[in-house]
């Protein structure tokens, strides 16, 4: 019975070590920032990038069509 009691105590010590040392460290690593982010809308930047890209493609294909027709 002595070895079984020793194993139980070792297991409890490991469980306590996890709860006392490992868990707070993990919680600190994966902590979620509860402060709200400033209201910066990403929409204009994405809209301008896509619009610029589409305009560039339109100009390129128009230029291709114009010079192929000649």
């Amino acid at each position: 019975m002595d070895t079984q009691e020793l194993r139980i105590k070792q297991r409890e010590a490991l469980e306590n070590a996890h709860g006392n040392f490992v868990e707070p460290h993990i919680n600190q690593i994966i902590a979620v920032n509860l402060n709200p982010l400033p209201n910066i809308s990403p929409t204009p930047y994405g809209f301008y990038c896509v619009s610029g890209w589409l305009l560039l493609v339109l100009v390129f294909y128009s230029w291709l069509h114009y010079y192929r027709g000649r």
Side-chain angles (χ1 to χ4, degrees):
M1 286 295 269
D2 191 29
T3 57
Q4 188 174 3
E5 289 177 6
L6 182 62
R7 287 183 182 176
I8 291 172
K9 286 182 181 180
Q10 287 176 346
R11 181 180 176 141
E12 288 176 357
L14 286 175
E15 288 174 354
N16 289 340
H18 174 73
N20 293 334
F21 298 107
V22 178
E23 194 172 349
H25 182 66
I26 292 173
N27 290 341
Q28 183 181 7
I29 290 173
I30 62 171
V32 176
N33 187 5
L34 297 177
N35 296 331
L37 296 174
N39 288 336
I40 300 173
S41 177
T43 306
Y45 178 73
F47 177 75
Y48 294 139
C49 284
V50 170
S51 298
W53 180 252
L54 289 175
L55 181 64
L56 183 67
V57 168
L58 182 67
V59 168
F60 176 73
Y61 280 113
S62 299
W63 177 76
L64 256 176
H65 181 70
Y66 176 73
Y67 280 106
R68 271 201 184 164
R70 284 183 121 187

